[in-house]
Every structure is written in C-alpha cells, then in structure tokens.
Amino acid sequence: MALTGLGLGMMMQNLVLAAQNQVAPEDLGAASSVVTFFRSLGGAMGVSALGAVMANRVTHYVQDGLAALGPKAAAMGHGGTAGGGIPDLAKLPAPFREVVESAYGHGVGDVFLYAAPTALLALVLVVFIKEVALKSKPAAHAPTAAGTTSAAAE
C-alpha cells in the first residue's frame, strides 16, 4: 500500500504539470480541469471495478471457508450477520469469525494483484510520454506593470 501511495503521489502532480506545459497560457484552466476530470472519472471507475472484485472474492472465500468447516458450521447459525451485510465479528462464533477475517484479508490481497497489471501498464505509458523542457520564460500574454500584455508592448 505504501508503494502504491508513494507512486501515485509522486506521479499525479507531475502529470498535471506536463499537461499544463503543453498548452498555451490561455488554455491552462481547461487543461488542468480536463486532467482533474479524467483523474476523478478513472478513480470512480477503478473503485467501482475493484470493489466488485473484492465483493466477489470475499464471497468466494467465505463460501470456501464455510464448506471447509463442514456440516457442523451450518448448525452453528449466523449469529453476527444482519440481512446479508457485513457481519459483526464480535457476535460471530470463533470459527465463523476466522473464516470472515481470512476472507477479507485474502480479498484485499486479490484486489492489489488485479490492480497490479493496470499499474504496470500506466508505468509503461508514462515512460513513453514525450519529454519536453519546462517553460522557463514568462508567457508572451502575461500582463506587464503598465497593464498591457508584453506582446502588445512590443
């Protein structure tokens, strides 16, 4: 998780800066907002997709864990579940609690494994971004002290 967080944190602002460096000064707002929009859209889609993966994997692991407990587990009841939601672990019998805890632990691990190829693809795509030197001079449209633009002052 730390590696993912560091990687995203170090890359996000650099991608915004790269996009802003490629557009004319009058288009900076639009470029910044497009980057932010697609970042938000991608984040929402990613959370939805990976949330579905986690729900599927947790269900699978719980079913496998309960099957491993055998018929005795079915007789123990569903003490801590409330309408099929997330169970209250404190109310579950110890064997059920262990199955649910293990299912969520493995489910989170699976989410990271499924997200890893996407992260690798993003890394490859970032490597192929064309390198352009950052602009170091003020823009030609920047206002001067007299209130006119530097292009008009010439």
Side-chain angles (χ1 to χ4, degrees):
M1 287 176 65
L3 185 62
T4 302
L6 286 170
L8 284 173
M10 286 190 252
M11 192 171 65
M12 288 293 188
Q13 190 57 39
N14 288 330
L15 292 175
V16 172
L17 185 60
Q20 290 173 340
N21 193 50
Q22 294 292 318
V23 298
E26 59 269 11
D27 294 331
L28 279 175
S32 300
S33 64
V34 166
V35 169
T36 302
F37 172 74
F38 282 109
R39 182 187 305 163
S40 298
L41 182 65
M45 290 171 55
V47 166
S48 297
L50 293 175
V53 167
M54 182 162 167
N56 180 284
R57 299 307 301 159
V58 167
T59 300
H60 173 76
Y61 287 129
V62 168
Q63 289 172 347
D64 287 351
L66 293 178
L69 290 177
K72 185 173 109 177
M76 294 174 84
H78 301 289
T81 60
I86 297 175
D88 181 359
L89 293 179
K91 294 181 181 177
L92 286 175
F96 281 152
R97 185 175 54 244
E98 290 173 12
V99 166
V100 172
E101 288 173 348
S102 175
Y104 275 92
H106 285 95
V108 169
D110 287 353
V111 165
F112 276 91
L113 287 177
Y114 288 137
T118 304
L120 183 61
L121 176 64
L123 177 64
V124 169
L125 292 174
V126 167
V127 168
F128 287 110
I129 291 177
K130 183 177 81 170
E131 185 175 343
V132 176
L134 292 177
K135 297 173 186 170
S136 60
K137 295 183 181 180
H141 300 350
T144 62
T148 61
T149 62
S150 58
E154 294 174 3

